[in-house]
Amino acid sequence: MYGMINLALEQMVKQGYGADTWEKIKNEAGLDEVRFISMKSYDDKVSYDLVGAASQVLNIEANELLEKFGEYWILHTAKEGYGDLLKMAGDNLPDFLKNLNLMHMKVGSVMPDLIPPSFEVQDLTDKSLTLIYSSKRAGLAPMVVGLVKGLGLRFNTPCEVNLVKQDNDNSTYSFNVTW
Ligand code: HEM
């Protein structure tokens, strides 16, 4: 994944726990020498190793950490670094979720190595929807929960996000989103 993902994790840990803790996590992941570059693509293993090490050092379940990270990404990283892109993608939760593929396509036009997830909105009512998430990567569904909750907060429609179906073989997950 692009370095911006690892850098966002770095920022979240440093803000919450300090720079020394981040050094410990990098060390634990065998990455002490690495200085991440936002627009460089890294092996996915680097991100998984960082999450694993952070989970150990901070004593937080990896899934809980991924959810927190998803929320942090929306409320801090994306807001500060990609505000215009976020504004273009919609001003309410359902519209924004419908635009996620287009948004990642735009991201992909400047990041040629991007392997984006894909999303589909179904069963839309004025208080709920089903979000289908598919990915080439395993284990990131908890991050989607945090991302969507973060978007709910961004649009002043705090939401509940529950995993209702999962197909681990093709990493496809359905979430019930209510607000
Ligand atoms: C301005 C905002 C955004 C930017 C610049 C961005 C960019 C990226 C980048 C660079 C990656 C790593 C993939 C790679 O390097 O191959 C990624 C992954 C991902 N993005 Fe976004 N993204 C944004 C917003 C969002 C939002 C709002 C969601 C909400 C659901 C989202 C969901 C995901 C997920 C779940 C992944 C993990 C990859 C996977 O599942 O395979 N992103 N995004």
Side-chain angles (χ1 to χ4, degrees):
M1 290 199 256
Y2 272 90
M4 65 166 60
I5 303 289
N6 306 325
L7 280 168
L9 184 68
E10 173 172 344
Q11 198 189 5
M12 181 179 92
V13 170
K14 279 183 172 169
Q15 262 177 27
Y17 305 91
D20 289 352
T21 305
W22 177 247
E23 287 310 313
K24 232 184 258 170
I25 289 167
K26 277 208 324 186
N27 187 282
E28 182 74 25
L31 296 162
D32 349 19
E33 300 301 322
V34 183
R35 294 280 165 269
F36 292 112
I37 297 163
S38 184
M39 295 296 281
K40 185 179 158 190
S41 181
Y42 294 83
D43 196 316
D44 282 357
K45 184 176 184 305
V46 171
S47 308
Y48 284 100
D49 286 353
L50 282 172
V51 170
S55 160
Q56 270 194 6
V57 171
L58 303 176
N59 197 20
I60 302 177
E61 286 283 323
N63 284 353
E64 196 185 327
L65 192 69
L66 281 170
E67 182 174 333
K68 277 193 200 315
F69 177 64
E71 195 169 301
Y72 183 88
W73 172 265
I74 298 298
L75 298 177
H76 299 275
T77 318
K79 188 172 159 215
E80 284 150 26
Y82 308 93
D84 290 345
L85 202 59
L86 285 188
K87 276 187 198 134
M88 271 194 301
D91 62 3
N92 62 74
L93 186 62
D95 280 356
F96 194 101
L97 293 176
K98 284 190 227 162
N99 278 331
L100 278 174
N101 292 345
L102 195 65
M103 201 197 70
H104 278 107
M105 238 168 78
K106 284 195 182 129
V107 174
S109 67
V110 287
M111 296 184 184
D113 294 329
L114 190 80
I115 304 172
S118 84
F119 293 93
E120 196 188 323
V121 172
Q122 294 178 352
D123 314 324
L124 177 60
T125 75
D126 56 352
K127 282 273 168 214
S128 67
L129 56 80
T130 301
L131 182 68
I132 319 279
Y133 154 68
S134 310
S135 172
K136 297 253 173 350
R137 304 178 173 95
L140 298 180
M143 183 168 121
V144 174
V145 172
L147 284 160
V148 176
K149 284 187 178 170
L151 288 171
L153 293 174
R154 173 178 168 83
F155 298 122
N156 294 317
T157 48
C159 59
E160 285 290 315
V161 184
N162 290 302
L163 182 63
V164 288
K165 211 165 104 189
Q166 73 187 84
D167 174 353
N168 289 323
D169 288 346
N170 348 300
S171 288
T172 298
Y173 305 84
S174 301
F175 301 93
N176 181 233
V177 182
T178 50
W179 62 92

